[in-house]
Structure formats: structure tokens, C-alpha cells
Amino acid sequence: MTYWQAILLAIVEGLTEFLPVSSTGHMIIASALLGITATPFTKLYLVVIQLGAILSVLVVYWRRFFQSVDFYLKLFVAFLPIVFVGLLLKEHIDALLESVTVVALMLVVGGVVLLFVDKWFPQEQQEKGGHPVTTPNYREAFIIGLFQCIAVVPGVSRSAATIIGGLTQKLTRRAAAEFAFFLAMPTMAAAAAKDLLDYYQEATKQGVQLNDLFSHDEVMQLLVGNVVAFVVALLAIRLFVNFVAKYGFRAFGVYRIIVGGILLLLIGLKINLQIV
């Protein structure tokens, strides 16, 4: 993977991490279009640069992280389901990360769901009966965490699944989106830590020393990728919250269906889009 490819993937990550369009799915598609070879490092890169994007949440919402211990306990409760699901299905998830076909199908299915979300959860009703604050109660936080587990399938969108989970618990669109952002932090930090540990263990089995775990170029690509993802996400996060609070999710549903449909058409025409 070249520096330019690493930067382009980081831009895709920053733009899509908080949109209900699947950042992982878009990076898999981008990797295929860029002809990036699937190696242990490139797979690790797709996960680790998401840390840069979610750190933008700290900058945008830094005051929220000083509000109460209760806030962190609710995040922990919401985080628990993905821990168990992730550990149980880790090998299957890694296998799916190479499939553009799975991403395309999930983009279409998720797009259809987003077309109806605004009808299922009208904003007017949410404003009257929804939570005035971002954080739900413990039971609701756990249910939102269960919804997040759906996103282990590439193309589903962790953001979309978590936001819809929040809407089912009567959070407003803005509150659901913001809680999804907060929940992304422990989720992606744990995913990155687990992938780094697996990468290290696999390397040591092959006799690789810790000092030789990453080449100089790989270290620089990880650093640059995280910085680029952070800056781009910082610009994208507020735009998304304001857009979805005002207009809802239909536009994202249409986008997902179009992109997924094009990919399925290309796959049907036997145009190779797998990461080779």
C-alpha cells in the first residue's frame, strides 16, 4: 500500500465513519478499486485508522465527557454486547472483510431500511416524547448496544444500527446520533486493540521481533492515516448531526441503494472487485 492509497482510505474513513453508510464497507470498496493487496497490515490499517476518526468526538463534544460518572457507566453497559459478539465471531468477521459482495448486499438492505426509518420514528413524536438529553437509561443503553452488534457484518453501518437502536428507545435523532458517536469510542478502541494484539501474536509465531513488527513506512502510514481521518471526521461530524436532525435518513438510504446496486451490477457482469 502506498502513502497516497493510505491517505485516500483515511479520507474515506473520515467522511463515512459517522454517516449511516458503513465506513468499513466504503473502505473495502475503495481498497478494491485502488487495487490494494489484502495483507495482515492492510486489514489492520482499515480498523486502526478508525481511531483517528472517533477521536474527533472528544474534540466536538469534550464537555459531555465531564458531565457524570453515570454517563460512562451507561456507555459501558451499551458496549458490553459487542464485546461478546466480537469475541465469538472474530474469525467470521475477518473473513467477511474481504468480500465486496457482502458489502454491496448490506448497503442495499440497509438502504431500504433507512428509507422507512423517518416514517417509523417521526421527528414530531420524538420531540414531544423523546429524551431531552443525549444519554438513555441503563436498560435503553443495553438495547442500543444490542443493535450495534448487527454492524459486525461489513456494510451494515455501526452508526446506522446504533442510531436506529436509539430511535427505538425514543431518543431524538440528534440524541441517538450523538450517543452513537460516544459509543463508537470504546467500541473502536477495543476493536483496534484486539486487532493489534492478534497482529502481534501472529507475527511472533513467525519469529518476528517487536522492534520489527512494523516497517518505517507502515508506522508512518498508520500515523498519517489517523491524522487525516481525524481532521476529515472533525469537519464531517457536525454537518451530519445537523443534516439528520433536520432532514432525516432518507437521502442516506437512497445513496446506499444506488452504490450497492451499482456494485451488484458490476459483480453480476463479472468485473473483479475483490481485493486481490
Side-chain angles (χ1 to χ4, degrees):
M1 182 167 64
T2 67
Y3 279 97
W4 282 112
Q5 289 173 328
I7 290 172
L8 287 173
L9 287 179
I11 292 172
V12 171
E13 161 59 23
L15 286 173
T16 59
E17 175 60 39
F18 301 110
L19 303 183
V21 297
S22 177
S23 61
T24 301
H26 276 69
M27 285 193 290
I28 291 173
I29 294 168
S31 296
L33 294 175
L34 292 170
I36 297 174
T37 301
T39 66
F41 175 74
T42 57
K43 291 181 181 179
L44 178 70
Y45 181 85
L46 296 185
V47 175
V48 172
I49 63 168
Q50 295 181 58
L51 284 175
I54 64 172
L55 283 177
S56 64
V57 177
L58 276 175
V59 175
V60 176
Y61 296 103
W62 66 270
R63 290 184 179 86
R64 301 284 180 88
F65 291 91
F66 294 96
Q67 55 186 12
S68 67
V69 175
D70 183 65
F71 168 75
Y72 291 97
L73 292 175
K74 288 174 180 176
L75 281 182
F76 179 73
V77 168
F79 168 65
L80 284 177
I82 198 67
V83 174
F84 293 103
V85 172
L87 291 174
L88 287 174
L89 303 178
K90 180 68 168 62
E91 292 183 4
H92 299 288
I93 296 169
D94 287 344
L96 291 175
L97 285 175
E98 296 184 32
S99 177
V100 177
T101 303
V102 170
V103 172
L105 288 170
M106 291 301 100
L107 282 173
V108 173
V109 172
V112 172
V113 171
L114 287 181
L115 290 180
F116 297 97
V117 164
D118 296 326
K119 292 184 179 179
W120 294 336
F121 309 103
Q123 184 69 10
E124 293 77 15
Q125 292 182 18
Q126 293 181 53
E127 289 176 346
K128 293 178 181 178
H131 289 281
V133 295
T134 296
T135 51
N137 61 38
Y138 287 99
R139 173 183 164 278
E140 293 164 346
F142 183 76
I143 292 174
I144 293 171
L146 292 176
F147 271 83
Q148 181 177 233
C149 294
I150 303 170
V152 298
V153 181
V156 168
S157 173
R158 189 205 58 78
S159 177
T162 312
I163 290 171
I164 291 173
L167 294 176
T168 66
Q169 302 309 300
K170 300 187 184 302
L171 271 68
T172 63
R173 291 175 188 161
R174 182 180 294 274
E178 291 179 346
F179 190 76
F181 300 162
F182 300 142
L183 185 54
M185 299 191 69
T187 300
M188 296 315 306
K194 182 64 169 65
D195 276 31
L196 281 168
L197 177 61
D198 291 344
Y199 187 86
Y200 168 74
Q201 291 177 335
E202 186 61 34
T204 53
K205 286 180 183 178
Q206 300 174 13
V208 178
Q209 299 299 314
L210 181 60
N211 291 339
D212 300 321
L213 194 60
F214 298 107
S215 68
H216 176 267
D217 282 345
E218 289 174 340
V219 171
M220 292 305 298
Q221 286 171 0
L222 286 171
L223 290 174
V224 171
N226 273 283
V227 171
V228 172
F230 169 79
V231 173
V232 176
L234 198 61
L235 299 174
I237 188 170
R238 283 196 180 277
L239 291 175
F240 167 65
V241 172
N242 292 333
F243 181 91
V244 78
K246 186 174 182 180
Y247 299 107
F249 299 94
R250 185 177 178 82
F252 297 106
V254 172
Y255 169 80
R256 289 178 61 113
I257 292 171
I258 292 174
V259 173
I262 291 173
L263 286 174
L264 289 174
L265 177 61
L266 293 176
I267 293 168
L269 294 174
K270 301 188 184 301
I271 296 175
N272 184 21
L273 285 177
Q274 298 294 327
I275 303 176
V276 293

XYZ file of all heavy atoms in Angstrom, residues 44-78:
298
model
N -5.377 -4.611 9.158
C -5.197 -3.893 10.418
C -5.392 -2.394 10.216
O -6.034 -1.720 11.034
C -3.790 -4.162 10.969
C -3.414 -3.453 12.269
C -4.201 -4.040 13.435
C -1.919 -3.569 12.532
N -4.880 -1.877 9.121
C -4.974 -0.445 8.826
C -6.426 0.012 8.752
O -6.772 1.089 9.269
C -4.262 -0.156 7.502
C -4.264 1.302 7.101
C -3.300 2.179 7.591
C -5.234 1.815 6.232
C -3.292 3.519 7.231
C -5.243 3.154 5.866
C -4.264 3.994 6.370
O -4.280 5.318 6.019
N -7.283 -0.787 8.129
C -8.699 -0.417 7.985
C -9.387 -0.245 9.329
O -10.346 0.521 9.451
C -9.443 -1.475 7.159
C -9.023 -1.654 5.704
C -9.942 -2.651 5.009
C -9.008 -0.326 4.952
N -8.903 -0.966 10.339
C -9.500 -0.870 11.681
C -8.854 0.249 12.484
O -9.541 1.068 13.098
C -9.365 -2.212 12.429
C -9.886 -2.078 13.864
C -10.122 -3.311 11.697
N -7.530 0.307 12.472
C -6.812 1.230 13.349
C -7.065 2.687 12.993
O -7.164 3.543 13.884
C -5.298 0.927 13.329
C -4.512 1.999 14.079
C -5.043 -0.439 13.959
N -7.203 3.019 11.691
C -7.408 4.429 11.349
C -8.776 4.941 11.790
O -9.004 6.155 11.823
C -7.215 4.708 9.841
C -8.244 3.942 8.993
C -5.807 4.408 9.407
C -8.271 4.397 7.547
N -9.664 4.026 12.168
C -10.945 4.468 12.691
C -10.775 5.147 14.047
O -11.630 5.924 14.472
C -11.911 3.282 12.789
C -12.257 2.705 11.418
C -13.223 1.535 11.490
O -14.326 1.662 12.007
N -12.812 0.405 10.961
N -9.664 4.863 14.729
C -9.380 5.544 15.991
C -9.240 7.048 15.776
O -9.723 7.853 16.570
C -8.096 4.991 16.607
C -8.174 3.628 17.285
C -6.785 3.189 17.726
C -9.128 3.672 18.467
N -8.545 7.420 14.707
C -8.378 8.840 14.407
C -9.706 9.529 14.212
O -9.930 10.647 14.708
N -10.612 8.855 13.495
C -11.922 9.456 13.235
C -12.731 9.628 14.514
O -13.318 10.688 14.756
C -12.696 8.598 12.228
N -12.747 8.608 15.365
C -13.593 8.712 16.560
C -13.012 9.667 17.592
O -13.742 10.140 18.467
C -13.847 7.327 17.192
C -12.544 6.701 17.694
C -14.569 6.412 16.224
C -12.761 5.426 18.484
N -11.721 9.966 17.509
C -11.151 10.950 18.429
C -11.727 12.346 18.188
O -11.686 13.199 19.076
C -9.627 10.988 18.290
C -8.864 9.841 18.960
C -7.369 9.961 18.676
C -9.120 9.807 20.461
N -12.289 12.550 17.004
C -12.927 13.837 16.733
C -14.118 14.066 17.660
O -14.487 15.209 17.941
C -13.381 13.913 15.265
O -14.375 12.945 14.996
N -14.712 12.974 18.152
C -15.829 13.085 19.102
C -15.361 13.785 20.374
O -16.087 14.592 20.961
C -16.402 11.685 19.439
C -17.514 11.802 20.482
C -16.930 11.008 18.188
N -14.137 13.481 20.812
C -13.594 14.122 22.011
C -13.493 15.635 21.843
O -13.748 16.391 22.778
C -12.213 13.555 22.332
C -12.153 12.262 23.132
C -10.712 11.792 23.254
C -12.778 12.432 24.503
N -13.117 16.053 20.649
C -12.940 17.484 20.394
C -14.292 18.190 20.288
O -14.509 19.246 20.885
C -12.125 17.703 19.105
C -12.037 19.184 18.761
C -10.736 17.108 19.254
N -15.213 17.608 19.548
C -16.505 18.244 19.306
C -17.376 18.250 20.560
O -18.067 19.226 20.844
C -17.251 17.533 18.151
C -18.644 18.136 17.966
C -16.455 17.658 16.854
N -17.323 17.145 21.336
C -18.229 17.001 22.485
C -17.466 16.901 23.809
O -17.929 16.249 24.747
C -19.090 15.738 22.313
C -20.027 15.788 21.133
C -19.735 15.092 19.961
C -21.206 16.526 21.180
C -20.594 15.131 18.875
C -22.073 16.564 20.100
C -21.759 15.876 18.947
O -22.617 15.909 17.875
N -16.347 17.570 23.920
C -15.493 17.382 25.088
C -16.192 17.690 26.408
O -15.913 17.058 27.435
C -14.214 18.225 24.951
C -14.435 19.715 24.959
C -14.668 20.510 23.891
C -14.428 20.566 26.112
N -14.815 21.823 24.283
C -14.662 21.890 25.640
C -14.223 20.367 27.473
C -14.728 22.980 26.496
C -14.280 21.455 28.326
C -14.523 22.745 27.836
N -17.132 18.631 26.396
C -17.821 18.966 27.654
C -18.646 17.791 28.175
O -18.823 17.647 29.396
C -18.736 20.176 27.444
C -17.998 21.497 27.238
C -18.986 22.643 27.147
N -18.318 23.927 26.974
C -17.956 24.420 25.797
N -18.219 23.724 24.688
N -17.347 25.583 25.710
N -19.184 16.984 27.260
C -20.029 15.858 27.676
C -19.254 14.839 28.502
O -19.843 14.094 29.283
C -20.618 15.168 26.444
C -21.466 16.064 25.560
C -22.830 16.311 26.165
N -23.625 17.165 25.295
C -24.387 16.725 24.316
N -24.435 15.425 24.065
N -25.088 17.566 23.582
N -17.947 14.778 28.302
C -17.158 13.767 28.980
C -16.816 14.156 30.421
O -16.119 13.438 31.123
C -15.877 13.483 28.180
C -16.158 12.788 26.873
C -16.381 13.522 25.715
C -16.251 11.411 26.805
C -16.655 12.895 24.511
C -16.533 10.769 25.612
C -16.735 11.516 24.464
N -17.326 15.297 30.845
C -17.122 15.724 32.220
C -18.454 15.849 32.968
O -18.505 16.411 34.050
C -16.396 17.083 32.266
C -14.995 17.028 31.741
C -14.735 17.372 30.429
C -13.953 16.618 32.551
C -13.439 17.315 29.931
C -12.662 16.552 32.066
C -12.402 16.907 30.751
N -19.524 15.292 32.389
C -20.834 15.534 32.977
C -21.123 14.653 34.189
O -21.643 15.132 35.190
C -21.935 15.385 31.928
C -21.974 14.059 31.179
C -22.998 14.077 30.060
O -23.528 15.133 29.697
N -23.287 12.925 29.496
N -20.785 13.346 34.137
C -21.059 12.496 35.292
C -20.457 11.109 35.086
O -20.189 10.688 33.965
C -22.575 12.347 35.517
O -23.164 11.618 34.461
N -20.285 10.403 36.211
C -19.834 9.008 36.153
C -20.920 8.150 35.530
O -20.643 7.167 34.834
C -19.488 8.504 37.565
C -19.143 7.012 37.539
C -18.337 9.306 38.159
N -22.164 8.527 35.759
C -23.312 7.799 35.217
C -23.217 7.695 33.694
O -23.572 6.671 33.107
C -24.598 8.533 35.622
C -25.840 7.808 35.151
O -26.083 6.698 35.630
O -26.564 8.363 34.295
N -22.730 8.731 33.049
C -22.564 8.758 31.591
C -21.647 7.623 31.137
O -21.935 6.894 30.183
C -21.990 10.114 31.182
C -21.511 10.195 29.761
C -22.417 10.272 28.716
C -20.155 10.207 29.469
C -21.974 10.352 27.397
C -19.710 10.295 28.163
C -20.620 10.361 27.122
N -20.534 7.417 31.845
C -19.582 6.375 31.479
C -20.134 4.978 31.771
O -19.870 4.025 31.024
C -18.270 6.578 32.239
C -17.514 7.800 31.787
C -17.623 8.999 32.480
C -16.713 7.771 30.643
C -16.940 10.126 32.055
C -16.029 8.892 30.223
C -16.154 10.069 30.926
O -15.485 11.193 30.501
N -20.901 4.855 32.837
C -21.495 3.564 33.166
C -22.496 3.141 32.096
O -22.563 1.964 31.709
C -22.177 3.629 34.534
C -21.239 3.786 35.737
C -22.054 3.952 37.020
C -20.299 2.587 35.850
N -23.256 4.099 31.578
C -24.216 3.779 30.523
C -23.505 3.392 29.228
O -23.939 2.482 28.511
C -25.141 4.968 30.289
C -26.130 5.186 31.421
C -26.934 6.454 31.247
C -27.907 6.644 32.406
N -28.641 7.931 32.320
N -22.407 4.071 28.926
C -21.614 3.689 27.759
C -21.066 2.272 27.922
O -21.047 1.485 26.968
C -20.451 4.662 27.555
C -20.757 6.004 26.894
C -19.477 6.807 26.731
C -21.427 5.819 25.533
N -20.636 1.944 29.135
C -20.097 0.604 29.398
C -21.168 -0.457 29.201
O -20.915 -1.510 28.590
C -19.540 0.540 30.824
C -18.988 -0.809 31.188
C -17.783 -1.245 30.664
C -19.690 -1.639 32.053
C -17.274 -2.494 30.986
C -19.185 -2.889 32.393
C -17.980 -3.323 31.859
N -22.374 -0.197 29.699
C -23.488 -1.135 29.537
C -23.808 -1.330 28.056
O -24.041 -2.459 27.600
C -24.730 -0.630 30.308
C -25.970 -1.435 29.924
C -24.490 -0.709 31.800
N -23.808 -0.242 27.290
C -24.094 -0.329 25.861
C -22.975 -1.025 25.099
O -23.199 -1.641 24.053
C -24.317 1.074 25.292
